[in-house]
Structures are given as structure tokens and as C-alpha cells.
DNA sequence: TGGTTTCATAAAGGTGCCTCCTTGTTTGCA
DNA sequence: TGCAAACAAGGAGGCACCTTTATGAAACCA
């Protein structure tokens, strides 16, 4: 199999494709939430701020299909659906909760870095990027 | 500040936005590579399979701006540019290398889960999804 | 009767990321 | 002279992801 999109993982699926699945922001947020406790659809929707019903449905479907989440339908009226991490999902939760914690605790630091960078190089504007010139390559 | 897109991190930047930056597949691959050793542009391009020159340039620029990577230009002819992780970048490398390792070691397991799911529910095709009906909600 | 709950889905339109191809400049080498 | 190396950037077009709005069905309640 030709390594078009990345290192060949054990299944020949490009590593970049796997990473784009598990590194996805909604995946991180959903998995991190479910690692705390199983939840129903609307609970998740309220807890994962900013996610739409549609995106939540699609994300949960994908997570179920990948084997990270199991879905239980209860015969209530109307039916209620519970989502819970599988053991596989709990394994994924480990690096993801670490990543989410990093995001929570380091956003200000990123902001400061961006401000410093912009002060030095100018804001990333359409006309602010000079043309590449070897002798004038962006010198620090 | 209104929490439109996620939990409010300490900088008021939505957590989902921070996660979409640091969880990005190219970020993962680049940071993981640089955590092994500093690299020049073309070294990185060869090592991060599947990335285009353009995407690599943009990704490195963003990583530099966020404070994770530092860029050193050497006055060779033509100029060569070296990228290395900052201490902040090394902190991010920890959860990211764990995530990348997970991706490398669990792709086959995801494939197996998908195959099992599709066997049970049918392949995700445009016409394979039945209309929502509470009494017939996807029962497992 | 109308409204609500629950969760999956459809359609239309917008945006961002990415691919592919190209340009640019200086130096060194065949 | 032509080509290669090095690395940043531009443009056109395609595709995936997302937002917004709406639909659907059974039961319950005012």
C-alpha cells in the first residue's frame, strides 16, 4: 500500500487519517465528558458547549462506529438514549483528557505568544506577508 | 464573554478553538517529529508523509506563532531554516506523542470495530439511514 | 387542541482546509 | 548555460465540515 497520506499504521490506514479522527475537537470534548460519567444525548449537548444537535449526532455515530462509545436505547416515551465509553474508549480518554487539560490551562500562554509574535512580525494580514527572498528570508 | 463555542478557558478563548488548534493532525505529527530532534524544513517535509509544502509552511508558521516552535534561519546559500520545539512545545509534545502512539497502535482495532458496526447496521450509505421514528429508534 | 420532550435526519448555503500547479531568488555545479 | 537546492508564497478549484432551519412520531399535560 502506497503511503500517500502518512506513516503506515498496522492496519495500513494512514496515520494522519487516524489522527484527524481521534484528534478532532468534538471527539476530545465528548470523550472527556463521557469519561466522567455516561450521558444522554441532551445532557451531552448541554455539556459540550457550542455543539449543534446535528454535529453531536454525527460525532456520536462515528465514535460508536470506531468502537469508543456504546449506545443504549431505553424504551421510554419518548425513547431516551444513553452513551457510555467502551473500554477502548476509556483508553482513548487518557491522552485526550490530558490534551483537553493542556488546552484549558495554556490558552492564555498561547495568547501571549501570539501577541509577542505579532508585535515582532506584524499581524497575519493578507498584505503583511512579504514575498520570499532568500537573502531577505525572515530573519529573527 | 458569552460562551458561544465552548467552555471558557482562562483566556476566554473557547476551549473548542484551542483544541482544534492543538489536536490538528498536522500539529500532532509535526510536534511528535520535532520532539525527537530539531529539523530543517525539507527534513520535516520528508518525515511527515503526505504533507504538502504549502501546508507545512502554514502549519509551522502557526506553531511558531502559538509559541510551540522556534525558527532559526542560517545564513547559508541558499538559506536553511531549522525548527525546534520551545519548552512550551515540549509540554504539548507529551499528550500529543501519547495520542500519536495510540493512533499507531490502535488503527486495526478501530477498523475491526467499524467492520463489526457495519455488519450490524449496514455500511454508512446515503440511502441506508432510516428516517427517525421513536418506536423504531435504532435498537441494538 | 396545542405545546413539549426526545433524538435522528434532511436540505440549503457558507467557510475553511487542502491539492495541484506555479512563481521567486541566490548560489553552486556540471 | 541550464539545473538544483532551499523555503516561502500565490491562485484556482474541490471537498469536508459546519450552521441554520425544518421534519418526524408517540406520549404526556394544560
Amino acid at each position: 500500500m502506497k503511503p500517500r497520506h502518512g506513516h503506515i499504521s498496522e492496519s495500513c490506514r494512514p496515520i494522519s487519517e487516524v489522527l484527524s479522527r481521534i484528534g478532532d475537537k468534538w471527539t476530545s470534548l465528548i470523550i472527556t465528558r463521557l469519561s466522567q460519567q455516561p450521558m444522554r444525548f441532551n445532557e451531552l449537548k448541554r455539556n459540550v458547549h457550542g455543539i449543534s444537535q446535528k454535529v453531536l449526532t454525527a460525532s456520536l455515530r462515528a465514535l460508536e462506529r470506531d468502537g469508543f462509545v456504546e449506545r443504549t436505547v431505553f424504551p421510554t416515551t419518548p425513547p431516551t438514549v444513553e452513551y457510555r465509553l467502551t473500554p477502548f474508549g476509556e483508553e482513548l480518554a487518557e491522552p485526550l483528557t490530558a490534551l483537553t487539560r493542556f488546552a484549558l490551562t495554556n490558552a492564555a500562554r498561547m495568547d501571549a505568544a501570539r501577541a509577542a509574535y505579532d508585535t515582532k512580525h506584524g499581524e497575519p494580514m493578507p498584505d503583511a506577508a512579504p514575498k520570499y527572498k532568500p537573502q531577505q528570508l525572515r530573519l529573527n
Side-chain angles (χ1 to χ4, degrees), chain A:
Chain A
M1 180 168 291
K2 185 165 181 285
R4 170 69 183 87
H5 281 292
H7 300 278
I8 301 302
S9 62
E10 58 190 347
S11 75
C12 291
R13 185 172 298 275
I15 184 69
S16 58
E17 185 187 316
V18 181
L19 276 172
S20 72
R21 272 290 309 120
I22 66 178
D24 171 60
K25 66 180 177 184
W26 300 125
T27 299
S28 298
L29 289 170
I30 293 169
I31 294 284
T32 298
R33 278 301 179 199
L34 289 180
S35 72
Q36 292 158 11
Q37 73 187 60
M39 288 186 189
R40 287 171 36 212
F41 186 91
N42 274 334
E43 237 177 316
L44 265 174
K45 185 154 171 289
R46 281 194 306 270
N47 275 281
V48 182
H49 293 290
I51 196 166
S52 71
Q53 190 170 312
K54 181 166 188 173
V55 170
L56 180 56
T57 300
S59 299
L60 286 169
R61 184 76 165 267
L63 286 172
E64 189 191 353
R65 188 165 175 267
D66 288 333
F68 299 123
V69 162
E70 84 182 338
R71 177 177 173 277
T72 309
V73 185
F74 294 97
T76 55
T77 296
T80 52
V81 185
E82 184 193 79
Y83 294 90
R84 128 189 349 253
L85 287 189
T86 62
F88 192 32
E90 277 165 12
E91 284 176 51
L92 176 59
E94 215 171 309
L96 282 190
T97 52
L99 193 65
T100 304
R101 195 181 314 119
F102 183 94
L104 273 169
T105 54
N106 288 282
R109 201 164 163 193
M110 283 166 73
D111 281 344
R114 287 176 181 181
Y117 180 92
D118 292 343
T119 296
K120 196 169 184 180
H121 299 91
E123 287 256 4
M125 293 287 193
D127 59 347
K131 192 98 178 183
Y132 172 57
K133 298 180 180 178
Q135 295 306 329
Q136 294 170 32
L137 200 51
R138 289 187 293 146
L139 298 175
N140 296 321

